[in-house]
Amino acid sequence: MQFKDQVGFIRQHIKKNKLRVFMTVLAATMGTAFLIVLASVGFGIHETIRDQMLSNRLVTEVQVHQSEESGDPGEHVEEIKKLAHVKAVVDRQQLGTNQMSLFGEFEGNHVLVVTDFKEEGKVGFALKEGRLPQNANEVVVGSHFTDYLYSEEETESGDFKTYEGDLIGEQFTYRIDDVEGEFVEEELTLTIVGIGENPSREWVSDRNIYAHDAIIPELERIHYSDHVTGSDDHPDASQLFYHDVAVYVDKLENVKMVSNALRDKQYYVFSIADELEQIDVFFLALKAGLVFVGTIAILIASIGIFNTMTMAVTERTREIGVMKAIGADPKLIRRLFLMESAWIGIIGTVLAVVISYAVSAVSNYLLPIIVSAALGEEDFSELNVTFSVIPWQLVLIASAISISVAMISGWRPARKATKIDVINALRQEL
Amino acid sequence: MISVEDLNHSFKIGKKGKEKRVPVLKRVTFNVQDGEIVSIVGKSGSGKSTLLHIMAGFMHADSGVIRVNGVETSSFNEAENAKFRLDNFGFIFQNFQLMPGLTAFENVELPLKLKGVNQTERQQKVQSLMQHVGLTNVQDHYPNELSGGQQQRVSIARALITDPPVIFADEPTGSLDSETEQDVLLLIQSLNKARNITFVIITHDDEVARTADRVYTMRDGELSEGGMHDAV
Ligand SMILES: Nc1ncnc2c1ncn2[C@@H]1O[C@H](COP(=O)(O)OP(=O)(O)OP(=O)(O)O)[C@@H](O)[C@H]1O
Ligand SMILES: [Mg+2]
């Protein structure tokens, strides 16, 4: 029998029992749509959380910390740079002591950071104005440097007045404290030669002072100036500066590889990608759970398909007998019934997908409005929360489940049809 | 054409545990020649239909060999039997056994669909056969819109459409009045002459038996050549 004729055959059967088939398709549609919409909430929340996490931090960044077994990562920067897929290694050395900047009448405490500008440049560090420092007395300041320079004087609104003049070429005085925690008399005079670009996230402010590494001995000398030299407890230089090492990986996919390589070297490693992975695992389990619950709805619908097909076979016993008597292959009979239940599954699935997308779109639009109305918060709808997302993978999974469940529930009736005895069937009353 | 050798069959009847076997066919042996009309007569319950069902491959006998055109069909499985029927046999039943959801035309077309013949060829073949058996004016009627005689013509056309060498008929005129019966018998005879189709007709009607070239009689599962009245 040609496929076209098989389809025609099924069409004729379905037409004869429109209402019954319609109700069965409806049940299949409802079950499948329930599964898709339910699971889409898992996908929606996952996406929202991922977006939130990714918007706050750089995904390809891996923070490296010293462990008891590892050395200080700051001392092994060159070695780390040699790892595959590492784009840049930024070793920011920060002063672990109190510090103070005096800018005329203004005063502030800015963190002094010694860094490798070449590596910083590879991962987006740029200057808004000026140039990079070339000696111990030159510095670049972060774009929000002046926001943290206050004077004693108060403005009309009651806030402290901040500096609003030029920066490039200006000098300021920088002081740090000594081992006992007292500010040292000796001051450094630093010249601002450049201003950093605004950070890419608008809510992040950069008030650091970026200095050339030539400044390290200067500061160490000042910090330890009061200390008795030559004594046993001469502190290590690393106590004044601590390393803050961040490795930047070329691509997100490679973060795990680089993280593992660093872990092999006994470092403590932290990356947003690791955290994302844990969240992904959690949501994978959640989605699987939701799909499972949704599948139960499809299984309930499958009872309907089973009933419909069993009835169809019983009703057509005589016709099946005639077909077999004429010479229809039992396999053909089975295929015709399987195709019919598959058809119910396919139509049900297609309708369910369409309905699910509609429900998903409507709920994404309406839920924020309803929730904000209920909570009385106006701007809740502006918060970027997605309740329901239907990725193609979900459509694929739901379709596979629904269509195979439909075919499995049609399996027994179809087998029953092939088992029909010709003689008994022909004996049936018209 | 068809040879049946030493066919034996018994049915199991009664409740489980105390069923007993009732022999229905006993050492049935006979031949049907190419292009013959053979008629099998006998009392009700003598085993005529059972014999036909076994020859058609609807069921297996307990023992015995059946050959059709030299092919041993008695050892076929269900699928092989179905395929063989589609290619070699046509069937005419007492109660016509038409598909209620199909028109006369579509009923006749059905075996060709099963054989996978394409639509244009089907249309042509069915059209010309419908004309031949005089059904053109009712070809779009559903079976419940046809008289008994017309329905039997449709079922004869359906049996003929694949040009099978053999047609089995179980009481083909059993549900018809004597006038329509005559029509149907004439049609069978003319088809037998014109297309050299072999007919095996089961009947308990003398009128039908008279159209046959040869008559066999079934008595309690035993088959012998000759009419009911020539009995020993
Ligand atoms: N499936 C079955 N199970 C048990 N016994 C059966 C079965 N089919 C037929 N029989 C028995 O086999 C015998 C022969 O039946 P069969 O139908 O072949 O008779 P028949 O000659 O065709 O009769 P009729 O002229 O009334 O159609 C009968 O006694 C019947 O009771
Ligand atoms: Mg009978």
Side-chain angles (χ1 to χ4, degrees), chain A residues 105-370:
Chain A
E105 55 171 314
F106 298 96
E107 188 183 317
N109 45 24
H110 301 90
V111 178
L112 187 117
V113 174
V114 175
T115 188
D116 180 342
F117 290 100
K118 201 174 126 234
E119 292 293 306
E120 291 270 10
K122 285 186 199 164
V123 290
F125 184 87
L127 294 183
K128 189 155 69 175
E129 269 180 83
R131 58 173 176 81
L132 292 173
Q134 275 156 358
N135 59 51
N137 296 322
E138 292 181 346
V139 293
V140 164
V141 293
S143 55
H144 297 82
F145 181 77
T146 53
D147 296 352
Y148 296 86
L149 275 179
Y150 306 103
S151 88
E152 299 279 293
E153 227 177 293
E154 282 183 24
T155 57
E156 285 143 35
S157 58
D159 292 334
F160 290 106
K161 197 173 137 195
T162 54
Y163 179 73
E164 270 155 10
D166 280 344
L167 284 174
I168 301 279
E170 296 294 326
Q171 291 191 330
F172 68 95
T173 309
Y174 183 72
R175 293 179 69 184
I176 60 170
D177 62 5
D178 64 8
V179 193
E180 268 84 45
E182 307 276 325
F183 272 102
V184 183
E185 287 302 315
E186 192 180 346
E187 317 171 327
L188 276 178
T189 303
L190 301 173
T191 310
I192 299 172
V193 295
I195 303 169
E197 190 61 80
N198 287 325
S200 55
R201 320 263 178 237
E202 56 187 61
W203 61 87
V204 177
S205 61
D206 182 2
R207 55 162 148 161
N208 290 342
I209 301 166
Y210 297 98
H212 193 270
D213 54 14
I215 205 172
I216 296 175
E218 286 282 303
L219 290 171
E220 276 172 1
R221 190 181 52 74
I222 295 169
H223 185 65
Y224 299 116
S225 55
D226 295 350
H227 204 81
V228 191
T229 45
S231 78
D232 291 350
D233 57 337
H234 184 91
D236 204 325
S238 63
Q239 281 180 329
L240 179 57
F241 277 95
Y242 62 91
H243 292 274
D244 188 359
V245 178
V247 173
Y248 292 85
V249 181
D250 57 356
K251 276 195 227 102
L252 180 59
E253 301 94 272
N254 297 324
V255 170
K256 198 177 163 63
M257 221 170 112
V258 172
S259 301
N260 286 340
L262 289 167
R263 275 196 195 97
D264 286 347
K265 292 184 187 293
Q266 310 297 335
Y267 293 117
Y268 287 133
V269 171
F270 175 83
S271 73
I272 190 77
D274 279 338
E275 203 175 312
L276 265 183
E277 200 169 293
Q278 282 170 23
I279 285 183
D280 286 350
V281 168
F282 169 77
F283 272 96
L284 186 69
L286 178 73
K287 288 172 198 168
L290 293 176
V291 167
F292 178 76
V293 173
T295 304
I296 293 173
I298 293 185
L299 286 177
I300 294 169
S302 81
I303 298 172
I305 298 178
F306 179 85
N307 275 336
T308 299
M309 295 313 296
T310 306
M311 265 172 86
V313 171
T314 312
E315 268 177 9
R316 290 180 220 149
T317 299
R318 197 182 61 84
E319 289 176 57
I320 295 163
V322 174
M323 298 257 294
K324 288 178 92 175
I326 292 172
D329 193 312
K331 275 195 202 127
L332 172 69
I333 308 275
R334 187 176 61 205
R335 184 155 70 241
L336 289 174
F337 281 96
L338 279 181
M339 276 168 71
E340 193 167 328
S341 47
W343 184 90
I344 291 173
I346 289 168
I347 298 294
T349 304
V350 170
L351 290 177
V353 170
V354 173
I355 290 171
S356 305
Y357 272 108
V359 169
S360 170
V362 169
S363 62
N364 280 339
Y365 173 74
L366 281 183
L367 274 177
I369 296 174
I370 293 168

Side-chain angles (χ1 to χ4, degrees), chain A residues 327-330, chain B residues 56-57 60 71-89:
Chain A
D329 193 312
Chain B
H60 282 283
V71 182
E72 193 180 320
T73 59
S74 43
S75 58
F76 279 172
N77 65 24
E78 201 190 352
E80 287 167 334
N81 260 323
K83 171 99 178 65
F84 194 82
R85 279 201 293 275
L86 188 59
D87 293 335
N88 297 283
F89 297 157

Side-chain angles (χ1 to χ4, degrees), chain B residues 92 151-160 184 187-188 191:
Chain B
I92 303 169
Q151 287 187 54
Q152 197 58 304
R153 276 170 186 275
V154 174
S155 91
I156 291 171
R158 183 180 65 187
L160 279 171
V184 167
L187 179 61
I188 288 177
L191 289 167

Side-chain angles (χ1 to χ4, degrees), chain B residues 59 70 73 81 109 128 130-131 135 157 160 181 200 210 217 220 223 228:
Chain B
M59 60 188 274
T73 59
N81 260 323
E109 194 186 15
S128 79
M130 296 291 263
Q131 206 150 19
L135 285 169
L160 279 171
E181 170 178 330
V200 177
R210 261 197 287 280
T217 302
D220 292 333
L223 193 75
M228 259 204 274

Side-chain angles (χ1 to χ4, degrees), chain A residues 423-424 427, chain B residues 11-13 22 24 42-51 53 94 170-171 202 204 218:
Chain A
I423 301 166
N424 279 329
R427 244 187 227 135
Chain B
F11 283 114
K12 247 188 238 160
I13 56 156
V22 181
V24 180
K43 284 202 202 105
S44 184
S46 57
K48 307 182 294 294
S49 295
T50 306
L51 174 61
H53 292 157
Q94 175 176 359
D170 194 348
E171 311 272 11
I202 285 171
H204 50 234
M218 184 74 93

